[in-house]
Amino acid sequence: MKTTRSPVRGWLRRPSGDRPDDESVVAALYREYHRPLMGFVIRLTGGDRQLAEDVVQETMVRAWRSADRLDTEAGSLMPWLATVARRIVIDERRRRDARPPEAGEGHLESVPMPDRMDDLLRQVVVTDALKSLSEAHRQVLNETILRDRSAADAAEVLGIPVGTVKSRVYYALRALRVALEERGVTA
């Protein structure tokens, strides 16, 4: 029985000066090994043809880059190519497993988002209503309500008697209620 030598293997044995151009080597690699390698890789990838094509392409690139290190006595490059392809598939699986799965935008559309516009508008209206109050009323509301101080603590900070603080809070809240009603806010 007569064995035929692979043209790719013959090129690998030639001295570097007699070696054909890279395009010829790659074309010969594809011609000889593409179909069997593709079948092997499709089985490795569970039928994912796109991934299989990427793996075969990367395997061929690695074969081309490693041409000077390949075993020139072997009758076929297929065992080496299959090993490289298998390692590429394993690396790809590890890479996919290391990353969290991508969610896509469909899920984001159904996520409830609170509408903060009402809160913002309310804040603007209340701020505007507070500006319409006298300085003394704003100060007493700031100390008692916004800073959550007792009447005694507010009186100490403001330097006025506790009774005055209580009186100003009462009249400031009445004035604030009127200012808010003028702006369309009702309780």
Side-chain angles (χ1 to χ4, degrees), residues 39-150:
F40 174 74
V41 175
I42 285 177
R43 286 189 302 277
L44 280 179
T45 60
D48 186 343
R49 186 160 187 85
Q50 182 177 357
L51 176 59
E53 288 174 2
D54 291 343
V55 170
V56 168
Q57 181 177 357
E58 179 62 25
T59 303
M60 293 296 185
V61 167
R62 291 183 187 185
W64 167 70
R65 287 182 184 159
S66 303
D68 57 334
R69 293 178 286 173
L70 296 175
D71 181 12
T72 59
E73 300 304 317
S76 172
L77 284 178
M78 193 58 197
W80 185 88
L81 293 169
T83 300
V84 170
R86 185 176 160 276
R87 288 179 181 161
I88 293 170
V89 169
I90 289 169
D91 289 346
E92 180 60 29
R93 283 187 185 143
R94 287 179 180 158
R95 187 174 16 261
R96 284 184 181 175
D97 290 345
R99 284 182 57 189
E102 294 181 11
E105 294 185 24
H107 299 289
L108 295 178
E109 293 172 358
S110 63
V111 173
M113 287 294 296
D115 184 11
R116 303 276 186 212
M117 188 56 76
D118 288 339
D119 294 338
L120 178 63
L121 289 173
R122 194 173 300 115
Q123 183 180 0
V124 168
V125 170
V126 169
T127 301
D128 186 51
L130 282 170
K131 286 180 181 177
S132 71
L133 300 180
S134 69
E135 180 67 24
H137 284 165
R138 275 198 311 271
Q139 284 178 342
V140 77
L141 290 179
N142 185 45
E143 294 300 323
T144 57
I145 295 174
L146 299 177
R147 294 184 191 253
D148 196 28
R149 291 189 171 138
S150 66

Side-chain angles (χ1 to χ4, degrees), residues 138-179:
R138 275 198 311 271
Q139 284 178 342
V140 77
L141 290 179
N142 185 45
E143 294 300 323
T144 57
I145 295 174
L146 299 177
R147 294 184 191 253
D148 196 28
R149 291 189 171 138
S150 66
D153 291 340
E156 187 177 322
V157 169
L158 295 173
I160 56 176
V162 175
T164 305
V165 169
K166 291 178 180 180
S167 172
R168 284 187 187 169
V169 166
Y170 174 79
Y171 289 108
L173 289 175
R174 282 183 60 186
L176 182 61
R177 184 175 297 123
V178 169

